[in-house]
Amino acid sequence: MTTTDLPGVPPDVDPDQPERGERPATEPRFDGRRGRWVGASIPRHEDPRLLTGRGRFIDDIALSGMLHAGFVRATVAHAAITELDLTATREVHGVVAAYDAADLALGDIVAVLDRPAEEFTPTAMPILARGKVRFVGEPLALVVARDPYAVEDGIEAARVTYDAIDAVVSEETALAPDAPAVHDEAPDNVLLDVSMFDTPGVNEAFADAALTVDVTTRSGRQNALPLETRGVVASWDARDDQLLVQTCSQVPHQVRTMLARSLRIAERTVRVTVPDMGGGFGQKCVVGREEIAVAAAAQRLDRPVKWIEDRREALTAGFLAREQRYRTRAAFDADGRITALDVDVVCDMGAYSCYPFTAGIEPLMASAEMPSVYRVPAYRVRGRAITSNKAPTAPYRGVSRPQYVMAIERVMERAARELGLDPVDVRRRNVITEFPYTGVNGVTYDPGTYLESLDLAEATIRDEGWYEAREAGDRHLGIGFCCFSERTGYGSEAFAKRKMTVVPGFDLSEIRMDTTGSVVVTSGTMNHGQSHETTFAQIVADRLGLDVARVKLRQGDTERIAYGWGTFASRSVTIGGSAVALASERLGELLCRIAAHLLETRPDNVALDGDGGVVQLDDPARRLSFEDIADVAHLRSHLLPKDVEPALTATASFDVPGDGTFSNATHAVVVEADPGTGEIRILRYVCVEDCGVVINPKVVDGQCRGGIAQGIAGALFEEVTYDGHGEPSAASFIDYLVPTATEIPDVSIQHLETPCAFTANGAKGAGEGGTIGAPAAVLNAVNDALRHTGVELDTTPIHPRTVLAALEGEL
């Protein structure tokens, strides 16, 4: 069969030879899980719609009688509200209503861990601030008007007076003995304080160590910066007794649950839908207070209400991420093998816990997975989440893994330097090579290519002559590596270990075939740029043996999908895709059962023929197309077997067992430091990754490159800082430095494949790996470029002034 026989596949793509880069000669094969479509780089189903301007985003929605909303926001970081006067606001021409917290009387957002009081302190996030403000940009009041211009006029007319309180803006100010409390419930400004591991032998290992390494790493606060800012359109339909909320959320079902609870209405009366979404990266996988306030206004006014976040709000008041500090001590023997790890983690979570993950998500993630890809015999860790007068944080692509990976990778580099060993060799001596491997952290790692990816990445850089170029000494060149794993597809068992009272994990799928033999499949995941419409269709098409063009995916509608956990933590293909695969298999079994009855043969004498039908095995000339079977199932149901119900539908659920799955990768980077400006230019970027069975290589490549771009942004460019009063520095792109295509290099991606035994498709997650590995790889490369200066940098982003000072001998 040629590629021209496959609809949707361009002539230059051979699905039997997908683009995968170099692989070891002993590449494992995963029988039964790759077929005609899985593994093919078919064009994305989404592209014709999105690239020709036919996408439908929140701001495209225009309903009859629609009003517009905006928020009066705090202009100070920490203060008691002494007066909030909306009288003048309500008198502005075009303003329909203005509400403060007392007017709406909504229930607070409260995220909880099932942990003792000495470990975790829950805090309430009011929908609109009551009595006190805790960060610049916190919403105080909601203004609803006939047009956006009247909204702005109404916001300006509001009068707010404050009694200022000293702002908590850093770890030092938060943990100081006399620090003001951001929340009365947490007088020490600590929301989580957990020592998850203190295994036997830590003290002895340090006492016997040939080398002890101490490294303190820090990462700057970032904005996830999706292209589409947050937004919501809410409308109340009194006839149906239903509140329709159209929003750009990665977790529509969690929005529905929290909305119903806050508004104190039955969850059945709330329908949440998500149209096309222009990125999320985790910022939209938590429930925001703005969408609840807008929904409440729509219900009260019995009019549709729209709110679209402007970029200033997005930069200052939207959910932020990343600000973390790691003090890491490691013990090594004389051969460079690690014998113990002792880590103290502090994560600045901002003013509030996010729902449903809580403020514990970052330190708990780091504590559980800090050993990374290395064999660590003894391990001690303390993880803390502190609160501050900054915008609250949400999970951002990678969730602590870029930070803890940076910490452990800096440890490997420092140990290599102290012992006079090659940094890659030190990694080789410590990396996990036998699987399954249960680490000192109690986590079992499924098979991966940790050593193989490291070897291939180093060989690529070496074969291209970069080591010789660096040793020539006429340029400030540096080579850096990062070897890491990415836990993906967290199931309910993994989340339950964090003692969350809201435990994500499973996903559901339903598949229905119509009379034409085409299918519609649902998933509780939520696409925001990951090509679900394409990759899920490939899974279905292979499982049923039909053309991929005959598969339609439906997501993002709480009325169509019973419940779903949305998209985060690289769970879409691993969990959502597995549910889709299982539902497809069940539909295939039903089709075969009906076909056997109609062909008057045994059920074990028929099979899906891979061409949109069912064939009789002992007489291949006898077959029924899906259209034939569907015609009977829907239009002539009296011909069905007596124990088969009419219509063609199947459902399935899936939950990854145990500790989840682990993708892995090695990133290798070559940089050059400019001695005149201190700027860092990336000359070469190599990524060798293993995410199990690759459903669509081009999609995975896109995920890798996009993630690497965000990782480079965190390593060299993006940072939100605050002054001593809690005023954010970055209110526009003039101040918040975002890299462009000029600063992001071409990225070479090579795929290894270690199929996963725990998912229905053999796939592991691929969404976050690029972001996880890039900061450490870039930081290590920069330090290598500065090796002759005696300076070592352990903080990101790396500022040109810091590099310049090092090159000029000022540090």
Side-chain angles (χ1 to χ4, degrees), residues 23 33 128 182 187 276 282 316 321 399-400 403 480 635 688 743 750 789 794:
R23 296 179 283 197
R33 298 194 179 169
L128 297 173
V182 178
D276 291 319
T316 58
V399 188
S400 279
Q403 286 67 51
L635 305 179
V688 181
E743 288 79 32
Q750 302 178 61
T789 69
D794 295 309

Side-chain angles (χ1 to χ4, degrees), residues 120-132:
F120 176 74
T121 302
T123 54
M125 180 165 64
I127 306 306
L128 297 173
R130 292 191 310 269
K132 185 178 181 180

Side-chain angles (χ1 to χ4, degrees), residues 69-297:
F71 291 89
V72 178
R73 295 187 179 273
T75 57
V76 297
H78 199 192
I81 305 169
T82 57
E83 183 181 24
L84 173 56
D85 187 355
L86 300 175
T87 304
T89 296
R90 296 184 175 108
E91 294 173 354
V92 170
H93 178 72
V95 169
V96 175
Y99 304 106
D100 61 17
D103 295 324
L104 293 181
L106 297 169
D108 298 339
I109 297 174
V110 183
V112 179
L113 293 175
D114 188 16
R115 290 181 175 272
E118 62 269 20
E119 291 186 352
F120 176 74
T121 302
T123 54
M125 180 165 64
I127 306 306
L128 297 173
R130 292 191 310 269
K132 185 178 181 180
V133 296
R134 293 180 173 87
F135 66 94
V136 172
E138 180 163 16
L140 306 174
L142 175 66
V143 178
V144 182
R146 293 189 180 93
D147 58 63
Y149 309 104
V151 169
E152 293 299 323
D153 291 342
I155 291 171
E156 290 183 9
R159 294 292 175 261
V160 189
T161 57
Y162 306 96
D163 185 4
I165 305 170
D166 289 343
V168 174
V169 296
S170 66
E171 176 189 346
E172 291 73 24
T173 57
L175 300 179
D178 58 347
V182 178
H183 294 273
D184 293 340
E185 308 94 301
D188 58 356
N189 291 319
V190 177
L191 301 182
L192 178 91
D193 189 345
V194 177
S195 297
M196 289 183 65
F197 299 98
D198 190 354
T199 66
V202 173
N203 293 335
E204 293 80 0
F206 278 99
D208 297 338
L211 172 69
T212 298
V213 170
D214 291 87
V215 179
T216 298
T217 54
R218 299 179 187 274
S219 59
R221 201 172 191 83
Q222 281 185 264
N223 193 306
L225 217 66
L227 186 62
E228 180 191 24
T229 58
R230 296 180 299 156
V232 60
V233 175
S235 54
W236 176 259
D237 188 336
R239 183 179 64 84
D240 281 346
D241 189 32
Q242 185 175 70
L243 180 64
L244 173 61
V245 179
Q246 301 178 78
T247 185
C248 47
S249 173
Q250 298 168 228
V251 287
H253 285 86
Q254 284 70 68
V255 172
R256 182 186 68 179
T257 296
M258 196 64 244
L259 254 169
R261 292 180 181 181
S262 184
L263 272 63
R264 302 180 181 91
I265 58 178
E267 195 162 340
R268 63 172 176 77
T269 65
V270 180
R271 179 184 183 185
V272 176
T273 65
V274 182
D276 291 319
M277 182 165 38
F281 310 117
Q283 188 185 66
K284 299 175 184 175
C285 79
V286 298
V287 180
R289 56 219 296 199
E290 290 90 350
E291 51 202 338
I292 295 176
V294 170

